[in-house]
Structure formats: C-alpha cells, structure tokens
Amino acid sequence: MSVHPETETGAQAGTANTPEEGVYSFAAMEAKWPQVWEDLKVFTPLDDGSRERRYVLDMFPYPSGDLHMGHAEAFAMGDVVARYLRQKGYDVLHPIGWDSFGLPAENAAIKRNAHPSEWTYTNIDTQAASFKRYAISADWSRRLHTSDPEYYRWTQWLFKRFYERGLAYRKDSPVNWCPKDLTVLANEQVVNGACERCGTPVTKKSLNQWYFKITEYADRLLDDMSELQGHWPERVLAMQRNWIGRSEGAHVRFVIEAAGRRPEKEVTVFTTRPDTLYGATFFVVAADAHLALDLVTPEQHDELMAYREKVKALSEIERQSTEREKTGVFTGRYAINPLNGEKLPVWAADYVLADYGTGAIMAVPAHDQRDLDFAKAFGLPVRAVLETGAEDPAESGVATSGEGTLKNSGELDGLSKAEAIPAAIEILEKLGTGEKFVNFRLRDWLLSRQRFWGTPIPIIHCAECGEVPVPDDQLPVTLPQDLRGEALAPKGTSPLAAAAEWVNVECPNCGRAAQRDTDTMDTFVDSSWYFLRFVSPHYTDGPFDPAKINEWMPVGQYVGGVEHAILHLLYARFFTKVVHDMGLLDADEPFSALLNQGQVLNGGKAMSKSLGNGVDLGEQLDKFGVDAVRLTMVFASPPEDDVDWADVSPAGSAKFLARAWRLGQDVSSAPGVDFSGGDRALRTVTHRTIAEAAVLLDNNKFNVVVAKLMELVNATRKTIDSASGAGGADPAVREAAEAVAVILSLFAPYTAEDLWNQLGHPASVANAGWPVHDDSLLVQETVTAVVQVQGKVRDRLEVAPDIAEDALRELALASDNVQRALDGRGIRTVIVRAPKLVNIVPA
RNA sequence: GCCCCAGUAGCCCAAUUGGCAGAGGCAGCGGACUUAAAAUCCGCAAAGUCAGGGUUCGAGUCCCUGCUGGGGCACCA
C-alpha cells in the first residue's frame, strides 16, 4: 500500500531528488536509506570526548523467533530518546545485543536433534535483519551475544571474583523445583507457587546449589533507591521495596528446657512486636526445618515425622492458601519466656516458614490472627496484653493488631504500643536475651541450573582440594559442541554430566583427577552486566575497558518492560554494586533513569498464541511501513501506557507521514535562505513547536510531541495554500519544513530523511542538530486576558503581554460585561495575574 | 489483608503543575474533487473531568472518603 498525494499543483522546485516524482512511497525509502546510514556510520558514537556522552539502552532481546509488536513498541521508545539526544549534540551510545542463553533454545534443539546454538544464532540473524529494517539507530559494531564464548568468558571471570569475595557459595537447602523443566528456580522465578516459565506448580527439593549472596546488599539495594526516586517509575521502586521486604523488630532468644536426654537449647525468634512478649502463650517452629527434628522428644517423634510427610506432599499453591485450617504437632518441649519465666509449649507447624526470619516464632494469639487461629484449633490459651478498646480476642476470635495501651505486661504496663516496642527491646538487651534486629524477606539468589544452554560454572571439584576455581587464563570454560538433541533432554541433573570428556579434568591445584561443575548459570547472570560490556565489547583484557567504563556509565536512560521490575533490575543493581565495590566502576547504580513502556494489546488483551489474537509485526510493516508503525506506537498513548492495537490507526499515521512529506514537494525556496523575512505567524508556530517539543521530550511525553508536530504540519500546509502569502516560496515554509524533518526524525526516520533530502540537504537528517528557537519569535504581540467574576468568565481582553497589574485591573473593571455581572454589588477583592487573568470577587 | 498506579468527548489522549476544560488523532457528520468509489483536501459537532466532601478568589490539578479498573506483595511473625 502506498499513500498518494493529491495531484501536483505547481511548485516543483526542490523535488528533484524525489524517488518517484510526487509519490510518498515507504517501500522506496526503506530500500534507499539503510545503506546510506550504514556508510555514513551515523549511529556509531565518536567516543573521543569531543562531545558530552549519553548512554541510552533498551533491554536486550531474547532471540525467540522474529521481532514482535512488543519489541516494536519498546525499541521505538528507546530510539526516540537516542535520536533526540543525538540531535541535541550528545555523543550517544545506543547499542544492541542478544540475551542468547536460555531454555527455549535447548528445548528447540531437543526437538530438532540439533545444537542449541543453531536455533539461537539463526533467530538472532532474523531479528538483526528486522531491527535494521525497523531503523533502530543502534551502533551495530558493538553487537554482542551472551552465548558467545568471548562474552561468557567474562561472565565466568565475574563469577570468580564474586566467589573470591565470598559472594558466590554453595549450600544444601530446600529449593524451588520445577517438575516439568526439571530445574531449580530462584524465588523470583516462582509466581503464585508456579514456575514463571511453564506454569507448572513448583515443588521443594533439597539440593546442593550455588548462590549469590545478594542478601549482603539488601540494605544498600533498598537505601540507594532514594537516588532513583523520580527517575524510575514509582511502582517499580515499590515492587523492589516489597521484594526486599525490610522489617524492623527484634531477635529474642528463648531457652528450650531440657527434656529427658534432650539437652537444653537456645532458639532465637524474630518478632516485629517485642511489646507483646507477655502475651506469648506458645512457641512454634517450622515443621520442615531441621530445628523441629532437633527439638522433638522421642515420644513425639513419630507424630512429627508423619506430619512432615503430609506437609511435603502439599504443593506450594496449597501451602500458601490463606484459607487453610491451621495444622501442627506438639514437640514435647517447652520454651521459657525470657521476660516472665513462663513455660510455653513448643509446636511444629507449617504456617511458620523455615526460610523466613529464624524459622521459629513466639506466638501471641491475642494480637496475631494466625497465632489466634492456631490457638483456637488446638485449645491453647489466649492472653491480651494490649488494650485497644476492641472485644477480647479470646472471645471475638479476631486478633487486635492496632494501637493501644499495654496491660498484663509487668514493667511495660501503661505504655502505648509505640513506646513499648523500644522499651521491650531495651529490657531484652539488659537481660542479654535479645536485641533490635532488621529482617529482610530477600533471599540469596540461587544461580545454578541443571540445564545445558547457559554459562558453565567455572569450578572444578577435586576430592583432595575441594572447590577449585578454573584459573583465569583457562577461561572461558566453553560448552561442549558434541551434545545435541536427546542428549540435552532434562533428566534432573545437568546434561553436561554426561559429557565425560568435558567433565573429567585434572585438578588445577594438585593435578589429580577431578570433575568440572556441571551446572550452568541462571541467564539472569548474563544480563546482569551486559550494559557494562557494551562500553567496550571487543576488549580482551577484562570484562570492560577501565579507561572507557566511567566515561559512559551509568546508563542515562534504560527502556524496557515492567515484567523485569524485580528480577533483572534487582540483579543488575546488585552486580553493579559488587563491581563498584571491586573498584572497577565508579557508578554504584546501573540505570539513572528507567522508562517502562506499556504492552501492546489487541482488543484489551495481551496478544498470545492461545488467544489467537496476535498481530504480526511483519505484516503491519509490509502494510503500513516502518515509520507508520513506529509513529503509531509512539503517538497512541504516553510511553508507559499500554497501546491497544484495536484502538489505534497505523493508517492514520501513514496519512500524516505522507502529509508531512508532501511539504517538501511544495517548498520552493533554496536551502540556506534567510528565514527572517518569512511569514511571522508561521515562524511563531515553528519556534514554539521547537521549544515545546524539547521540554516534552525531556519529560518522555513523546505522544504530545507528535501532536505538536501535527499542528506544525497543519500550520505549514495552511501557509502554503493561503491565497494571500508567498506559498511555497515563503522562507518561513522552508524553516517550518526543516523543523518538521528534524523533529520527525526521532519517530519516522525514513520519511524524515526523505523529506530532508527533498529539501536539498545531504544525508543524514539524524545529524542535522536540534533547531535553535528564537525567543523573540515566541513573544506574542497581544495575549488574551480572561476576566472572571466570582470564578466565572465574563470577558476577554486583548492586552500587551507585559501589561502592568494595575492597568489590567483598570481595564477589567471598566468592562461592560463585568459591570453587568457585578450587578451593582460592591467589590471585595480583585485578583490579578497579569497578563492572563483577572478574577473579581464581589462583596 | 497491605502497598502502588490510573479514571477528562463514542474511543486513544492533551491541559504551561492551582488560572478560559481541548492541542493532536481515530471513529462520526457535512462539503469539494470523481462517472462512481478509494485516496486526498476543507469544514462541523461532541464531554464539564468516576462519585461525595473539604481547602481556595479560583480545583481536572491539592487534601479526605468511597467506587471502578490495572498491577505488586501476602500464613513474612
């Protein structure tokens, strides 16, 4: 489809370069310009310090098939920012690469009896071609793929540095296990108790796994969000805050009395309510924690074991259901309340989680609903220690958690809840049985995966020496090439274990026979530092060039979907902080600003294969052209809002583009003409548009910029067609058309380039530079002052923009309409906001 | 249950951060061009801002309560 302009009307000068005389043809433009841009290296940063640098980054894609509408939206947004900053004169780094390790490639390889790299790199080539067609202003010379050995060599190098700092370690722990993908999952990859990838309910499995100690950075990850405030979407910060889950309270140590041959034992609990310590009537440990086994008396042992079996059989989804009846078993032991010496029965239950806090709690049923439910189920006592005015929880069955005054609490009696919390902590500290403690919900990052297509963990296991890191000069540990097809099928252990030749090596330490670690890294490890690699992707002496890294980092504008609000963004922040602490990087936050583009929907729903409501990007590009699709993405709504493809009109965008392009057909003045004699009204519109567009772009209001651009095009058209003026020969028309070309180049690079060319300028419009607006042209000769009486508009006055308040007040009071509205009433106040408004308040 | 975001013409969205509710687009209607249609061009109409209360000379904008929709966390001690 091409959009044809109306029949030519005359002005023919300046159209010599038109590909096909007078016809807007996106196909011709798409065929013509990519080569020109490539030859001119328009989008390769100078990287020489001659200009201020800016780093603009889109979250790099995973190579699953060809690009889709979601990519088109995200990359359209990021490209607006990159192209705008380039026009503003910055040296812009806007790279592209692929997050190319991951399960889909492996599954495809099993199905096709191939190596995952085949599927991966074929898809990457397809996507790369599509990106080029889509005219992303990327520096292709910096292209990288995380599955290239040249890349993952440095992922392994970084892993080793983490290991040396004690930030990468192995431990036995019950982990999330996906029974379909047959691999472990990080907490972040479990959504509502199910695998985020395939939706299979997750089970627990006890395994020895590699972890990154992200919890050591919990405080900083939380505190440093203050730097991001205002530059990151509030909801992303809220999600991270939630996820980190900082909780202030106290650790309290309880002595568990000796029983028979079981010796006395001290157990610590975490509580946010140390003020309610006198209300503790029992004690609970997580049934699945080892602690339960340590405590249980021989008499209760069988009962506990039976209960643990039952708990294990529950799926995560069942276990997390809040409607479940409370269950548990008595352990036969008693804990001593450190404040009043009271004996509390110790129970084991599954409502206490082994991996939160200390896996044990003091139960205060009067003031905690879960404890109350448990107490009622097992006939345990309830004692209120906080008078809130509500009914006694023992009677009502509703725990009271609000404000109140302490009672039945010895020295704490009479204090408010807010006073009692620190007071209780102070008492505990004096007794030496507790102290203030800040607990986090965040768990360490489980990074090992029992799958093939990922970065091998560069560790060798030696019977003599234990864990031995592969020496730096032997990196990368590359994946074997000979495993393919069925050999990659998930078995619950890594497929790498079957590659005997690969696994069996000499210990780098003692030379004896040893084995490689056969797990691979979570792909989120790969993507936690790729933005650093882009600064110097071909550097061979380290993960990045130390001479360059601080010139570009941090990323000034990061663009991507909100689905990565926690996972990728939290991990990348963690990695950045560690690399910073290693002294390799000045920045300690990777992304100064974040833009979450919305989703592309169709008919109110996310596009999906199962719904069959997908819109094919390729078809849209064929039908409307790249520029129209890009413009539609940007114009439809604010960047962070969803775009419903059923609600928008790529045809409308195409119409506008043809309209803008046709301005070039009608401009008949020569390039370089003096604009000063041009139509004043149009010049004002042009300069106002330039000024407003810059402000709007600085605030990511791309959709509004497009609207302003449409106004400018309309105004220019009017001037050309006006019978009274000079039409296409008016220098103001050229000035306007040139501004249109430059601003349009952010959204519709082909049309803008072609327009620029029609206007007689050499390529590329991307280098034209942002037009400088003339403030004197923005000053209007008169402005409309609104005159209100009691807030209602009663008159409008044309006044000079610099009118004095007094003069405006006089004019307003003299207005007939005002006098009529006042209807003889006196005047109480007159508010004057010269030159725009007068509000007269009658008595 | 706790937390975050958003409700403005039929639809997608603007509104200089407290100062005339409307910039732009889609859809609609009328007209020009056409043998006709498409395309193109010109023009028109359309809401008082989810509801209620408050602050103010003045509220779409600030505050409170509620409703609706979207999202996050959740047996987290």
Side-chain angles (χ1 to χ4, degrees), chain A residues 659-735:
Chain A
R659 206 172 140 76
W661 181 85
R662 276 200 312 276
L663 294 178
Q665 303 260 298
D666 293 340
V667 172
S668 55
S669 58
V673 68
D674 180 9
F675 298 142
S676 59
D679 181 86
R680 168 68 194 241
L682 178 59
R683 295 202 72 202
T684 298
V685 175
T686 303
H687 285 253
R688 202 180 53 219
T689 303
I690 294 164
E692 286 176 349
V695 174
L696 291 164
L697 286 158
D698 289 335
N699 292 292
N700 291 344
K701 296 188 170 188
F702 310 145
N703 55 323
V704 189
V705 178
V706 176
K708 298 286 178 201
L709 192 56
M710 288 171 169
E711 279 183 77
L712 177 56
V713 169
N714 289 343
T716 311
R717 180 84 261 157
K718 262 202 176 116
T719 305
I720 292 170
D721 291 347
S722 153
S724 59
D730 187 333
V733 167
R734 167 167 284 276
E735 182 181 38

